[in-house]
Amino acid sequence: MKKTTLYKLYALIVAALLIGFDQLTKWLGSTSPIKLGETLSLIKIGNTEVLNLTHHHNTGASFGIFQGKTTMLVIVTLLIQIGLIAYVVIKKNLSKSALWALTLIISGGFGNMIDRVFKDGKVVDFIDFRFIQFPIFNVADICVVVGSALLIISIIIEEVNLRKAEKKLAKEQRGLSK
């Protein structure tokens, strides 16, 4: 088996594990004694709540946009996921960092899509950083955000390396033509 195929197989296994972990944490959050809308403070510094578990349902996308647009969100997510998976399968020279970034994005997308399809359009959120007034989120959201950041960094690094290689080649060609 070729090395790239093996990496893609590992990525598929990791994606399945991340989706499973996301669903497990959401199940634990939903079946815990914390009722919908209630908060359990985990870390406090003085009177400042730093990290809480808050049982919350989101019927929209990131930061609460597209509230109640479940069908649209499922269709768009599914199309994006199919496109990303096709890209990973078809792309021959996909860098490891881009592969893992896309694996995270795909995992997070599927994790939240599963909620939308099987939980009446609601995504279970529970991680609540109140000290920075950040929206409540979940493991799938972490995967999408970290994957997106890693993908941006990967693209920038690849572009910088490509430009360096082009400059080096141009310099070598100028040296040969003299």
Side-chain angles (χ1 to χ4, degrees), residues 96-157:
K96 288 180 194 173
S97 59
L99 172 64
W100 292 112
L102 292 170
T103 298
L104 287 169
I105 294 167
I106 291 166
S107 301
F110 273 118
N112 282 337
M113 190 176 73
I114 289 168
D115 279 17
R116 285 191 184 97
V117 170
F118 294 105
K119 294 181 179 142
D120 198 29
K122 298 172 186 144
V123 174
V124 176
D125 291 326
F126 56 92
I127 303 169
D128 184 4
F129 282 107
R130 293 219 177 140
F131 73 102
I132 58 173
Q133 298 300 310
F134 200 76
I136 303 167
F137 58 98
N138 58 45
V139 172
D141 297 334
I142 294 169
C143 288
V144 171
V145 169
V146 171
S148 297
L150 181 59
L151 185 60
I152 291 167
I153 292 166
S154 173
I155 290 168
I156 291 169
I157 289 171

Side-chain angles (χ1 to χ4, degrees), residues 61-130:
S62 299
F63 305 106
I65 61 173
F66 302 117
Q67 289 292 324
K69 306 281 188 204
T70 303
T71 303
M72 182 206 62
L73 288 169
V74 168
I75 291 169
V76 169
T77 301
L78 187 58
L79 290 173
I80 291 170
Q81 300 300 68
I82 290 169
L84 291 176
I85 291 168
Y87 181 77
V88 167
V89 170
I90 293 168
K91 181 77 171 154
K92 291 194 184 334
N93 296 329
L94 187 63
S95 71
K96 288 180 194 173
S97 59
L99 172 64
W100 292 112
L102 292 170
T103 298
L104 287 169
I105 294 167
I106 291 166
S107 301
F110 273 118
N112 282 337
M113 190 176 73
I114 289 168
D115 279 17
R116 285 191 184 97
V117 170
F118 294 105
K119 294 181 179 142
D120 198 29
K122 298 172 186 144
V123 174
V124 176
D125 291 326
F126 56 92
I127 303 169
D128 184 4
F129 282 107
R130 293 219 177 140

Side-chain angles (χ1 to χ4, degrees), residues 28-48:
L28 290 171
S30 295
T31 59
S32 75
I34 304 168
K35 304 236 184 297
L36 186 62
E38 290 183 351
T39 296
L40 171 66
S41 184
L42 296 178
I43 300 174
K44 280 177 98 169
I45 299 175
N47 290 333
T48 305

Side-chain angles (χ1 to χ4, degrees), residues 163-176:
R163 289 182 188 221
K164 282 182 183 178
E166 287 172 349
K167 285 181 181 179
K168 182 179 177 183
L169 182 61
K171 188 176 181 181
E172 289 172 358
Q173 288 176 340
R174 281 193 304 269
L176 290 175

